[in-house]
Amino acid sequence: MSESKRTVVITGGSMGIGRAICLRFAREGARIIFVHYDPDDLKANETLGILDKADVEAKAKKLDVSSFSDVEEFFQEVVREFHRVDVLVNNAGITRDAFLMRMSEDQWDQALMVNLKSVFNCTKAAMRSMMKERSGRIINISSVVGEIGNIGQSNYAASKAGIMGFTKSVARELATRGITVNAVAPGFIDTEMTRNLPEKAREAFLSRIPMGRIGEPDEVAETVYWLASKGATYITGQVIHVNGGLYM
Ligand code: NAP
């Protein structure tokens, strides 16, 4: 095992933006450990297959990021095996859209648990090893919707706005420990999550993007990678928007 390799943990790495982030870190030769939850392993195996072809040391773990105890156990395993976590990307997320009038308690709870509590769970579990090493990068994937809101997404918007507040608070707590904490807020990105949007909502979003096109997962991954690179040593507590001008 080469100790010069960075150990990078990415939640929700089986597809979409998470997969693009795995592949971006793979290009530097990092050790990739990604988490997913769907019992159907197809997407996770696809990601593993691509990483394997590129000769990258990679591992996938099926885990519900909203479970505090399972996340804690997982990070203990990672540290036991690889000694440290250099980079944590909190990317896993879901939508449970409904107008507030019709939103069930379960829809609210699921969105908050998977999108926000997971960020608390993973950050708390990973920061111990980072504090010991006095170095680390934590990047949380928020959303433009956390900034501007969206009809039918009060639960999702609350979770993503919560990530911004969490990021800034933890950045302050860890600033003297050599650990940076930042958030990336994507706009409208081409993944399974947005492919399921009704055509009318898609068109409405597109009409509001000054660059006139949907974003690619790779464009988000590049920003995440940059925040974990030597180029971003003096950047913490920031929310970087990747949205083609949708919010400025
Ligand atoms: P996606 O294609 O639906 O992928 C979501 C990922 O999260 C999958 O790998 C999924 O794995 C994982 N996941 C979901 N629930 C999980 C759980 N309970 N435990 C562990 N993993 C779980 O979504 P995406 O569009 O790439 O979005 C990635 C992140 O970017 C999300 O946080 C999303 O809110 C955010 N974002 C996306 C957009 C966009 O336009 N796409 C815009 C702004 C922000 P399994 O399927 O195996 O569970």
Side-chain angles (χ1 to χ4, degrees):
M1 187 172 91
S2 156
E3 284 311 317
S4 61
K5 266 188 199 177
R6 292 202 287 180
T7 298
V8 181
V9 177
I10 298 152
T11 68
S14 58
M15 58 184 182
I17 294 170
R19 178 185 285 175
I21 295 169
C22 290
L23 301 186
R24 183 60 192 88
F25 278 96
R27 273 164 52 195
E28 79 159 33
R31 176 182 298 115
I32 310 291
I33 302 157
F34 74 84
V35 171
H36 67 110
Y37 189 47
D38 195 330
D40 175 0
D41 286 332
L42 191 76
K43 295 281 177 191
N45 286 339
E46 268 175 27
T47 305
L48 271 181
I50 302 169
L51 292 169
D52 197 44
K53 252 195 195 151
D55 210 16
V56 172
E57 188 182 342
K59 240 181 143 162
K61 174 81 178 175
K62 201 178 294 173
L63 172 77
D64 180 3
V65 284
S66 68
S67 161
F68 183 80
S69 54
D70 290 357
V71 164
E72 200 170 51
E73 203 176 300
F74 162 68
F75 277 94
Q76 280 168 4
E77 271 169 37
V78 171
V79 173
R80 220 176 291 132
E81 193 169 352
F82 303 115
H83 312 296
R84 55 194 284 172
V85 177
D86 297 290
V87 181
L88 166 65
V89 185
N90 284 309
N91 163 79
I94 57 168
T95 50
R96 291 292 181 268
D97 297 354
F99 291 122
L100 184 58
M101 193 69 122
R102 292 198 207 120
M103 189 178 289
S104 65
E105 185 183 0
D106 201 40
Q107 283 173 313
W108 174 270
D109 287 347
Q110 280 184 30
L112 270 290
M113 291 289 284
V114 175
N115 296 350
L116 184 57
K117 191 183 176 212
S118 66
V119 179
F120 161 77
N121 291 345
C122 296
T123 304
K124 200 167 156 62
M127 67 188 253
R128 266 183 229 123
S129 135
M130 290 180 176
M131 284 171 79
K132 206 168 130 218
E133 299 294 334
R134 298 195 77 78
S135 114
R137 300 289 173 97
I138 299 170
I139 298 128
N140 302 320
I141 306 301
S142 178
S143 167
V144 67
V145 166
E147 197 81 57
I148 64 176
N150 196 22
I151 290 172
Q153 291 200 308
S154 58
N155 51 356
Y156 182 79
S159 70
K160 294 299 183 178
I163 288 178
M164 294 181 195
F166 178 86
T167 298
K168 293 175 192 191
S169 305
V170 181
R172 287 182 190 277
E173 289 184 23
L174 299 182
T176 57
R177 310 290 187 123
I179 302 165
T180 66
V181 189
N182 290 290
V184 171
F188 188 25
I189 309 298
D190 188 19
T191 69
E192 300 262 323
M193 192 179 264
T194 47
R195 268 171 228 145
N196 295 332
L197 272 182
E199 198 48 40
K200 251 177 105 177
R202 244 183 118 79
E203 276 165 22
F205 250 121
L206 268 176
S207 69
R208 287 158 60 200
I209 302 173
M211 287 179 75
R213 67 170 176 86
I214 191 165
E216 293 300 325
D218 287 350
E219 295 177 294
V220 179
E222 282 299 336
T223 306
V224 171
Y225 184 75
W226 172 72
L227 283 169
S229 76
K230 286 201 177 96
T233 45
Y234 200 50
I235 296 174
T236 199
Q238 303 304 310
V239 179
I240 312 288
H241 290 271
V242 182
N243 62 24
L246 174 59
Y247 166 78
M248 51 174 88

